[in-house]
Amino acid sequence: MPKMKTNSGAKKRFALTGTGKIKRKHAFHSHILTKKSNKRKRNLVKTGLIDVTNVKQVMAMLGK
């Protein structure tokens, strides 16, 4: 049987935590930053977690 391939984009964007949750980065922090407040930009730096409704799809993309 052929091996299941990991989605290349997903492995660059997501990371598993020790407890099995999936970390992600926030969008809207790459350009056009002058109009965004310092508070908004600071909060975009922090990592977030994948929503429960997307866990199954992301795990499939990661080959887990």
Side-chain angles (χ1 to χ4, degrees):
M1 287 295 294
K3 294 180 181 175
M4 187 172 164
K5 286 193 175 180
T6 302
N7 184 299
S8 298
K11 69 183 174 188
K12 295 170 193 170
R13 287 173 172 84
F14 303 113
L16 283 169
T17 63
T19 55
K21 294 175 185 170
I22 305 170
K23 288 194 298 185
R24 67 174 178 87
K25 289 185 177 172
H26 284 98
F28 308 109
H29 192 65
S30 58
H31 61 100
I32 315 175
L33 298 174
T34 52
K35 64 175 79 170
K36 295 169 188 163
S37 68
N38 287 331
K39 180 181 178 181
R40 184 172 165 193
K41 289 185 281 193
R42 184 170 61 245
N43 287 329
L44 288 172
V45 171
K46 301 171 185 174
T47 57
L49 293 174
I50 292 292
D51 191 67
V52 180
T53 56
N54 298 323
V55 170
K56 197 184 216 178
Q57 293 134 324
V58 174
M59 285 297 238
M61 286 193 286
L62 292 174
K64 306 272 179 194

